[in-house]
Each structure stands twice: as C-alpha cells, then as structure tokens.
Amino acid sequence: MKKINFKKSIVFFLFLFFLKINLNYLIADSKIYLDLSNVKFENDSGYKSHDISSQLIINIDLKKEVEGWVKEKIVLKGNSGNLKIRIIEEKIFDNFVTEHSDKFSFLPKDGISYKIFFKVVIIAENNKHNTFGKIEASVKGDKTFLGGFSINERSKSLEEVLKKMIKKLETNMEKEINNQFKDFITNKYN
C-alpha cells in the first residue's frame, strides 16, 4: 500500500515539475523579438473621442494599456530602425447623443447603448536595411442597458467590456506582428 502511494506521489511530483517547466517556457517565450532599436509612441491628435450623454467613471486608459503591452511584450534587439505605435481611434458613444441616435434605432426610449471602437497602427521601418512593415489592429464592441441603471453600474459594466476589448486588441496586435513583420522578427539570442 505504501509503495502505491509513494509511486503516486512521485508521478504527481513529476507532473507538477514538468508543468512548471512548460509554463516557464511559455512565459519566457511569449515575448516578440524585433530587429529594431527604437520605439516611438505617436498617437493621432484627437484619437480619443468619448461622445456620451452622461459622465461615466472609466479608469481604463487605452494609451497606458497599449504602451504597457508594448513595453512588456516587445523586445528590441537591433541597432537601427524604428517601431512606431499609433492609436488612431478610441471612440465611445451612446444613443442619446443626437448625431449618433440613428445608429441605435433598435433601442426603446428607456434603454441606453454604447458603441466602442479601438484602432492601433504599428509601423516598423529600417532604412538601413530597406525594410518596412505596417499592421492595423482594431476591435469593435457594444454594451446595451435596458431599464434604469445608475452611472456607477454602467461604468463598472462598461469597464469590463473595455478590459475584454483591450485583451482582444493585444491578441490581434501580436498575431498581426507575427504575420506581417517577418523581416523584423529575430530570436532572443541574436
């Protein structure tokens, strides 16, 4: 009986050990290594447009999220070239703003709905090696509230939607970089 428990313990220990190694490998390998030397954040002027009829309390900042993702995810290994990150669009608008009301014709009068658009352009260029690459990542979302919801309830719920959208945007950026920046991708040992 003790031999069986001992064997199970060994198998369980080995399972955890290899699981930890694989997780560490995945975490360590989740970076994107580019043969460039500088990163610049050049957001479009007026990219942020929150055209809403009430004061929502939103603590999520797309600019900080994108900059944090780039600093965490991308490692520059080259000695020339630039990576330019531009937020083109961060829009949130609702059906109570007159110019947008026709886009929400399906809502009853006591409902409120929000539409959200994020768009980021990433440009990689290295004049020394005569290489250029450009990607565009975007996500769209919406949230509808029927009935009476407080500003705090709407703000909290909308923040959850924004967090999910930012994660999707980050996934899209990573996928596009891996697909389109083949001339710039290097490994961590170069």
Side-chain angles (χ1 to χ4, degrees):
M1 188 67 151
K2 287 184 180 183
K3 279 189 174 186
I4 293 173
N5 285 338
F6 180 73
K7 287 181 182 180
K8 284 182 182 178
S9 297
I10 297 267
V11 169
F12 182 72
F13 175 78
L14 289 173
F15 171 77
L16 290 178
F17 177 75
F18 286 114
L19 181 66
K20 182 177 180 355
I21 288 174
N22 286 336
L23 285 176
N24 286 341
Y25 177 77
L26 290 173
I27 291 168
D29 237 0
S30 68
K31 301 231 183 254
I32 301 170
Y33 297 91
L34 297 176
D35 188 19
L36 297 167
S37 63
N38 299 310
V39 64
K40 297 178 181 178
F41 296 96
E42 302 174 345
N43 300 323
D44 280 8
S45 61
Y47 73 90
K48 189 174 192 172
S49 171
H50 292 188
D51 199 3
I52 52 179
S53 57
S54 62
Q55 289 294 88
L56 292 177
I57 305 160
I58 299 175
N59 296 318
I60 294 175
D61 184 352
L62 180 62
K63 181 182 174 191
K64 286 181 183 177
E65 296 291 331
V66 168
E67 288 178 4
W69 180 84
V70 168
K71 290 174 183 172
E72 177 185 314
K73 193 74 168 174
I74 297 176
V75 178
L76 302 178
K77 303 289 284 183
N79 53 16
S80 64
N82 294 313
L83 183 69
K84 296 177 184 173
I85 316 295
R86 293 177 50 208
I87 300 175
I88 303 295
E89 184 175 55
E90 177 187 346
K91 286 188 178 178
I92 302 174
F93 58 89
D94 68 30
N95 60 311
F96 284 119
V97 177
T98 308
E99 65 189 72
H100 302 299
S101 62
D102 61 333
K103 297 172 186 162
F104 298 94
S105 59
F106 62 92
L107 284 175
K109 297 288 183 204
D110 63 340
I112 186 167
S113 186
Y114 298 91
K115 289 198 182 283
I116 307 149
F117 301 96
F118 294 154
K119 187 185 297 183
V120 176
V121 170
I122 301 176
I123 299 170
E125 57 186 351
N126 192 333
N127 293 334
K128 187 175 179 180
H129 300 294
N130 201 23
T131 53
F132 177 84
K134 178 179 177 180
I135 64 140
E136 184 177 296
S138 61
V139 292
K140 298 177 182 179
D142 57 63
K143 181 68 179 172
T144 300
F145 299 92
L146 298 174
F149 289 89
S150 72
I151 289 175
N152 288 338
E153 290 170 326
R154 282 186 278 142
S155 297
K156 185 176 179 180
S157 184
L158 206 55
E159 265 197 359
E160 291 301 316
V161 171
L162 294 174
K163 285 178 188 175
K164 289 177 185 174
M165 286 181 63
I166 289 171
K167 290 295 178 200
K168 187 174 180 184
L169 181 69
E170 291 169 350
T171 301
N172 291 349
M173 288 189 296
E174 181 174 3
K175 180 179 155 195
E176 288 298 316
I177 287 172
N178 286 326
N179 289 336
Q180 302 297 325
F181 286 4
K182 294 191 186 315
D183 291 339
F184 300 97
I185 292 180
T186 185
N187 65 43
K188 62 183 171 183
Y189 302 110
N190 283 352

